Amino acid sequence: MSGNRQHYNETFKRETVKYVQEQSKTVEQIADELNINPGTLRNWVKKYRAFEHEPVNHGETLRQQTQLIEDQKREIDDLREEIAILKKAMHIFSKEKN
């Protein structure tokens, strides 16, 4: 079982990690795009990441994140409307009766 192992230089690895950090794609998508094993790419990210605590997109794509933000905006708008209605109702019921 002698496979041809690819050897990549340090510059390629660093540029690839930079590419991973700039993209909104998952590590698996980029690994597939570049024909690199996803595990190898994850190891490179751990080793060559410029900012230690910078998040790397592992699962959610940009589309999923955008959908989540839109859902949250709709929920916030609904809650604001409910608050406005409750304020009006409180004002009406708190008036003194003649």
Side-chain angles (χ1 to χ4, degrees), residues 17-18 21 45-54:
V17 170
K18 183 178 176 185
Q21 291 178 311
V45 169
K46 287 178 191 173
K47 185 175 180 181
Y48 298 106
R49 184 191 264 161
F51 304 103
E52 191 61 35
H53 300 291
E54 181 181 13

Side-chain angles (χ1 to χ4, degrees), residues 8-23 30-31 34 36 41 44-45:
Y8 303 98
N9 63 31
E10 295 294 312
T11 304
F12 178 80
K13 293 176 185 179
R14 290 180 192 282
E15 289 298 316
T16 303
V17 170
K18 183 178 176 185
Y19 179 70
V20 168
Q21 291 178 311
E22 292 172 349
Q23 296 298 308
I30 294 172
L34 299 174
I36 299 172
L41 188 52
W44 292 355
V45 169

